[in-house]
Amino acid sequence: MAYENPEAERFNALVWEIVRQVPEGKVTTYGFIASMIPPPRGVAANDYARLGPRWVGDAMNAVSGIDEPTVPWHRVINARGGISLPEGSKAARLQRQRLEAEGIVFGPKNTCDLKKVGWEGPDAAWLEARGLLQPQPRKKPDENSGQLPLF
DNA sequence: CGTTTGACTACGC
DNA sequence: CGCGTAGCCAAAC
């Protein structure tokens, strides 16, 4: 939809390929996926940080009519751990139904715990073979503990 | 042809 | 910690 330019096709293809790697019972976020794809030519890194996730959402939307059976689109949710489809919509109910069928638990705010069910990403070799980047944690590292927070 | 809107996020209050 | 806002690109009105 949005982002119609010569690189759109490639971008969408990368998104779909990454989403295909998400295992059953795990979820990932739009921003997390975007962080693995290098910014297209002419897009500044700081702009891409905000544009990328939106484009990933657009790519998910495009799945509906193209590659629906092979792309587990339902495992892609927003950064808060919730479903981004219009609440009450048919698609939103389907997504939640599929996730719960895989064991994903939604709390009182209709969100799930990304620390628990968040996907850690493909291994380095898989990414490198496709010219992709290491997924970048959204939050800044905890300087005291020195641990990698992921989400 | 100007406006509105969207499967987003970061940031400020 | 919850809620509103800005920023950005295209497609749909």
Side-chain angles (χ1 to χ4, degrees), chain A residues 104-121:
Chain A
I104 304 294
V105 178
F106 286 87
K109 290 174 299 185
N110 291 326
T111 61
C112 60
D113 188 355
L114 288 174
K115 290 189 179 70
K116 278 186 172 181
V117 297
W119 179 47
E120 54 286 344

Side-chain angles (χ1 to χ4, degrees), chain A residues 21-39:
Chain A
Q21 306 306 309
V22 183
E24 185 176 327
K26 292 281 185 178
V27 297
T28 191
T29 68
Y30 302 98
F32 194 67
I33 290 175
S35 75
M36 297 183 222
I37 303 177

Side-chain angles (χ1 to χ4, degrees), chain A residues 39-130:
Chain A
R41 292 172 59 86
V43 179
N46 51 344
D47 288 337
Y48 179 73
R50 288 174 304 188
L51 293 176
R54 225 161 171 51
W55 293 337
V56 172
D58 291 335
M60 288 301 97
N61 187 47
V63 163
S64 308
I66 299 178
D67 235 357
E68 206 271 354
T70 66
V71 180
W73 56 269
H74 58 280
R75 298 188 188 128
V76 184
I77 60 181
N78 63 38
R80 298 183 199 91
I83 289 172
S84 279
L85 286 151
E87 193 170 339
S89 70
K90 191 175 179 179
R93 282 195 299 273
L94 176 62
Q95 181 171 20
R96 176 159 180 160
Q97 177 186 333
R98 285 187 179 179
L99 288 176
E100 290 180 331
E102 295 184 1
I104 304 294
V105 178
F106 286 87
K109 290 174 299 185
N110 291 326
T111 61
C112 60
D113 188 355
L114 288 174
K115 290 189 179 70
K116 278 186 172 181
V117 297
W119 179 47
E120 54 286 344
D123 56 57
W126 191 94
L127 290 168
E128 191 176 352
R130 292 161 179 77

